[in-house]
């Protein structure tokens, strides 16, 4: 097999090399959705999304997952039977108080995220919304990747007998994800490892 034979078979089958597509340098579409927004530093781009699961009795619960795309830290996983735009605002408010607002918040076009009260609140604190194109989850790849790990490592392996049990186990998993679990994108370090002070360096109390 050599390149001449490949070319001969290629021509015989009537195949054609697709025309080269022009490069695109746009960051935003006309409707304000994000295309190539890349996180460059902590608190630059957050993203959030919902994940759904069930307790042992078959009742549905939802989680609101909020991550910092640059540090890969899971900032919050809020768990409840129902989560709406008011819950989104409450969760963001708690995080804004603790960490300050990010520059951008990326999400899909779900009703909880495009609601007027959510967009107004985000704008009021000086952040910007970045909505992905409808039907294009890969544009929210950081959060989609986190959601997949969240489901594979916890939701698919645990039976939750109550909502409270789900809340406790999910928070334990979030802390482990942030402080212990290695991430290949971070050179196999956790996003927010806990600081440990050696015994011989601790201050002596008199």
């Amino acid at each position: 097999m050599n390149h001449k034979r490949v070319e001969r078979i290629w021509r015989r089958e009537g195949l054609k090399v697709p025309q080269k597509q022009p490069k695109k340098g746009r960051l935003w579409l006309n409707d304000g959705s994000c295309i190539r927004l890349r996180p460059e530093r902590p608190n630059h781009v957050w993203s959030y999304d919902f994940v759904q699961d069930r307790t042992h009795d078959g009742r549905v619960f939802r989680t609101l997952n909020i991550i910092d795309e640059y540090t890969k830290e899971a900032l919050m996983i809020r768990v409840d039977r129902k989560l709406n735009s008011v819950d989104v605002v409450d969760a963001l408010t708690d995080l804004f108080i603790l960490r300050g607002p990010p520059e951008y918040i990326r999400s899909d076009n779900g009703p909880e995220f495009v609601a007027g009260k959510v967009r107004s609140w985000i704008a009021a604190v000086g952040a910007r919304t970045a909505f992905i194109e409808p039907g294009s989850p890969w544009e929210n790849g950081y959060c989609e990747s986190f959601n997949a790990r969240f489901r594979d490592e916890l939701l698919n392996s645990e039976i939750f007998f109550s909502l409270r049990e789900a809340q406790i186990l999910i928070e334990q998993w979030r802390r482990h994800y942030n402080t212990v679990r290695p991430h290949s994108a971070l050179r196999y370090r956790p996003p927010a490892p806990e600081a440990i002070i050696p015994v011989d360096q601790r201050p002596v109390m008199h």
Side-chain angles (χ1 to χ4, degrees), residues 8-161:
R8 187 167 60 251
I9 295 173
W10 187 278
R11 287 194 299 270
R12 187 186 68 192
E13 297 299 324
L15 301 175
K16 295 182 180 180
V17 176
Q19 292 184 352
K20 187 175 181 180
Q21 299 295 319
K23 293 183 178 180
K24 297 179 180 179
R26 295 171 296 166
L27 179 62
W28 307 96
L29 290 180
N30 292 333
D31 62 359
S33 58
C34 59
I35 294 295
R36 295 180 181 86
L37 176 62
R38 295 290 180 265
E40 300 175 354
R41 54 193 171 275
N43 246 29
H44 181 209
V45 184
W46 291 0
S47 59
Y48 54 7
D49 199 6
F50 287 107
V51 172
Q52 182 171 296
D53 201 36
R54 295 177 183 272
T55 46
H56 186 60
D57 57 7
R59 297 178 62 193
V60 171
F61 69 85
R62 303 180 82 192
T63 71
L64 172 61
N65 302 344
I66 308 176
I67 66 170
D68 185 311
E69 293 189 359
Y70 184 83
T71 65
K72 307 298 188 291
E73 184 179 358
L75 304 177
M76 176 182 292
I77 303 179
R78 178 157 293 190
V79 185
D80 213 332
R81 292 294 181 188
K82 295 181 180 180
L83 292 168
N84 53 33
S85 59
V86 175
D87 298 303
V88 171
V89 171
D90 288 344
L92 291 178
T93 301
D94 292 343
L95 286 176
F96 290 170
I97 292 172
L98 290 173
R99 298 172 177 266
E103 294 182 39
Y104 298 94
I105 301 180
R106 192 196 313 259
S107 72
D108 60 26
N109 290 267
E112 302 89 352
F113 301 135
V114 300
K117 63 181 64 177
V118 175
R119 301 180 70 168
S120 298
W121 169 245
I122 291 174
V125 298
R128 292 181 61 184
T129 53
F131 298 112
I132 67 173
E133 275 286 271
S136 304
W138 54 87
E139 291 184 7
N140 198 14
Y142 295 93
C143 207
E144 290 292 334
S145 176
F146 173 82
N147 292 346
R149 288 176 172 80
F150 176 49
R151 187 169 293 281
D152 289 344
E153 296 178 10
L154 181 67
L155 300 184
N156 289 345
S157 61
E158 290 284 349
I159 297 176
F160 304 110
F161 290 94

